[in-house]
Amino acid sequence: MALDRLRGVDEPVEAFRRVTAAALRAIAHRPEMNVVFVPDAPALRGDEARLPQPSRALTAGEVSVLRGEADAIALKLRHHDAKLHARLRPAAGPAQALYDGVEQARLEALGAQHMAGVEDNIAAALEERYRLRGFSRLASREEVPLADAVALLAREALTGALPPPSARKAVDLWRSWIESKLGRGFSELKASLKDQANYAQNVRRLIHELGLGDSTSPE
């Protein structure tokens, strides 16, 4: 009897893992991708996608967040050239974090263009990330990483979606300053959305316009 009760609890979780892994492979166009669920943060390591282990409670909110993390990895597998990204990536510091974040915004925008469910899932995952990082408690611009603010404003420009609620006030602390510095920069990102090389060069120009050019690697 106890085993039957345990099996009844675990079956929905196992079904969710199977469906989530299958969706990740389908979106990524990688049927051979190994998907594992571990008690760690989501990550992509070679041919293995690592997702957080779902709890037995498996609430609707948790489902959306986990699907969002899976979708983010799938979009990276499908639309991201890691070698190209590395070749143009700034050497270190805030410029590197900004470059990575704005590239992730490109991937999320590509997913949102064609799959409304993906857009909703990623929005849930972003909200959870910034909630856990305590962004709702940040009260001054100095506390808010510039890279995060630029990445979320880039996502807004590319998709029309506002920053997640937990990060909205934090982003608004930077909004007017960033927009005054970048001018048409976000429009250029949108125009190059499907061309990663061109998009990356535009991101590097944004980095320079924000005064972070000394942190970039040579062209």
Side-chain angles (χ1 to χ4, degrees):
M1 183 68 71
L3 181 59
D4 290 340
R5 285 198 297 269
L6 181 60
R7 185 180 294 116
V9 169
D10 286 346
E11 281 177 355
V13 175
E14 179 57 31
F16 172 73
R17 285 195 291 249
R18 289 197 301 269
V19 169
T20 301
L24 188 155
R25 295 184 186 105
I27 293 171
H29 291 182
R30 297 284 188 89
E32 77 291 350
M33 194 72 195
N34 186 33
V35 181
V36 297
F37 293 84
V38 294
D40 288 317
L44 179 60
R45 297 181 182 175
D47 288 329
E48 182 176 86
R50 301 168 68 87
L51 294 171
Q53 178 76 295
S55 70
R56 288 184 175 181
L58 200 62
T59 64
E62 184 183 5
V63 166
S64 295
V65 170
L66 282 172
R67 284 179 173 169
E69 298 292 2
D71 291 345
I73 288 175
L75 291 167
K76 190 167 188 176
L77 286 165
R78 182 168 175 177
H79 297 295
H80 179 77
D81 182 330
K83 290 182 179 179
L84 188 157
H85 184 80
R87 179 166 58 84
L88 293 172
R89 193 184 193 211
Q96 186 180 93
L98 190 155
Y99 178 83
D100 292 344
V102 179
E103 167 62 5
Q104 186 60 38
R106 182 183 77 88
L107 303 176
E108 293 167 3
L110 288 170
Q113 278 188 345
H114 305 293
M115 297 168 280
V118 168
E119 182 178 16
D120 293 341
N121 293 339
I122 287 177
L126 281 173
E127 168 62 16
E128 180 67 0
R129 285 179 218 163
Y130 285 104
R131 184 189 70 80
L132 291 174
R133 291 175 63 187
F135 264 57
S136 63
R137 300 191 296 272
L138 303 184
S140 68
R141 200 166 74 181
E142 290 71 27
E143 295 177 286
V144 182
L146 176 59
D148 288 279
V150 175
L152 289 171
L153 287 175
R155 173 177 173 267
E156 181 179 318
L158 295 172
T159 67
L162 291 172
S166 59
R168 203 161 292 167
K169 290 182 180 179
V171 171
D172 283 343
L173 293 170
W174 275 108
R175 183 184 291 273
S176 61
W177 184 87
I178 291 170
E179 291 177 347
S180 71
K181 291 283 187 179
L182 297 187
R184 289 174 40 83
F186 288 135
S187 299
E188 292 172 351
L189 289 185
K190 192 168 186 177
S192 59
L193 186 63
K194 295 182 179 180
D195 182 343
Q196 185 182 340
N198 191 13
Y199 184 93
Q201 293 287 8
N202 285 329
V203 175
R204 288 177 62 91
R205 278 193 284 274
L206 298 190
I207 289 170
H208 178 74
E209 288 168 9
L210 290 170
L212 302 175
D214 289 344
S215 298
T216 60
S217 57
E219 290 285 356

